[in-house]
Every structure is written in C-alpha cells, then in structure tokens.
Amino acid sequence: MPFGSSAYKTDTQVRAAIKAMISSISGSGDWMDHWGQTPSWMTRRGGQGKPWWNIRRASVEERWPDRAINDFQGPEVIQETRYQLELKYPWSLKPPSEPGFEALVDAVLAKFRSAINLNGQVWEASLLSCSGGETGFVLVRWGDDALTAHLARFDLTVTQIIPRSP
C-alpha cells in the first residue's frame, strides 16, 4: 500500500476525535480550530472567560516497519502523527484558579489514558504516547493589555497501522 493511503484517518478526522474527547470533559472550555486563535470574549473590554484549547499537527512520519520482506502477518505501512495541544486557563486569585486548572489537566490526562485508540475513532491505531501536564504561565495579548493564563502542554503521538493485504 503506498504512502499517503486513504486508509488512514485524515488530519481533520483525528483532530475531530481529539476535540470530542476534550469537549466531553465538564468545564473544558472553548475549542479553537487554529493554532494561536483566541476566544471571542477576549475582544470585549473587561471580558471574563473560560479556558481554551489550541491544537496543531507538529509532524507526520510514514515508514515501512523493520520486518522481513516475507513477513505477511506484520504491518505494511505505519504512520505516526505528532500533535501539540495547549490549554490556556485564565488566572485569578479571587477565587483561586489553580485548583480548577489542575483538575482539568488531570481529567484530560485520564481521558487520554483510558482511550488509547481515541475512543475507537481511529481504526488500527493507538494513541501511543501522551505526555502532558507540563504547566506554567503565559501572557496572552488582549488588545492593548495582556491576560495572564495558566498553560498546559500535551504532546500526542497517534500511530496508524495499515496491515498487509492477505
């Protein structure tokens, strides 16, 4: 089977599966479809908002596995796609935002841990690795001002396998 096979889920389909998983978590916030996009509430003066998510495809690698040429049981082609997912959660002292932020990060990690194949959305695939919970703070431009937000980054590697034809 050639590279770029139509048997693979597309980038749009994989993003939709990830979005559905995140959106199913209570209080997960807004999903931004483009990297760096900010929610509409940030354009309003004195706007108060909720968390938001950005996602981007960082890399795609397709390869034939290191198997003998006569191995008809193994995979024919493997595609690994790496996604970077960012959560920005508005910071506040009153009430403290940190407990809600940490609970959301833990809920996302638990969701990925329990759905290694993106909840069955990616055939013959698995979410082989999810590293996340790397947290910190970020300043987000907000008109002439800046918003301080908690930041969590998640790296997801989705591996899709096309088996050999019998």
Side-chain angles (χ1 to χ4, degrees):
M1 192 168 285
F3 285 139
S5 170
S6 61
Y8 291 132
K9 292 288 188 176
T10 65
D11 176 59
T12 302
Q13 292 168 316
V14 172
R15 284 175 186 243
I18 294 169
K19 177 181 179 178
M21 291 174 67
I22 297 289
S23 298
S24 71
I25 298 170
S26 177
S28 63
D30 296 327
W31 185 266
M32 304 291 109
D33 290 321
H34 305 288
W35 187 255
Q37 184 180 6
T38 56
S40 61
W41 60 262
M42 288 190 72
T43 60
R44 295 190 306 267
R45 187 98 172 119
Q48 295 279 327
K50 54 188 172 182
W52 74 94
W53 295 86
N54 293 115
I55 187 170
R56 74 181 180 125
R57 184 174 62 180
S59 65
V60 178
E61 178 185 348
E62 290 188 6
R63 67 182 183 282
W64 284 283
D66 298 329
R67 301 268 180 133
I69 195 78
N70 61 352
D71 178 10
F72 297 108
Q73 303 301 313
E76 181 174 0
V77 182
I78 298 173
Q79 181 186 73
E80 285 187 351
T81 308
R82 193 168 64 86
Y83 291 89
Q84 291 179 333
L85 185 64
E86 281 190 351
L87 162 65
K88 294 180 185 83
Y89 193 106
W91 173 79
S92 69
L93 280 174
K94 299 177 186 178
S97 55
E98 192 168 357
F101 169 71
E102 290 176 354
L104 183 53
V105 168
D106 290 344
V108 169
L109 289 171
K111 180 68 79 170
F112 286 137
R113 225 180 350 264
S114 68
I116 61 170
N117 65 350
L118 298 177
N119 277 340
Q121 297 296 306
V122 181
W123 178 77
E124 288 289 340
S126 62
L127 186 61
L128 279 187
S129 68
C130 170
S131 61
E134 172 196 343
T135 61
F137 289 95
V138 65
L139 289 177
V140 182
R141 296 283 303 159
W142 186 9
D144 293 335
D145 205 352
L147 169 74
T148 303
H150 296 277
L151 172 70
R153 289 193 176 110
F154 303 84
D155 289 320
L156 311 173
T157 302
V158 177
T159 301
Q160 297 187 70
I161 300 168
I162 298 178
R164 293 185 188 271
S165 301

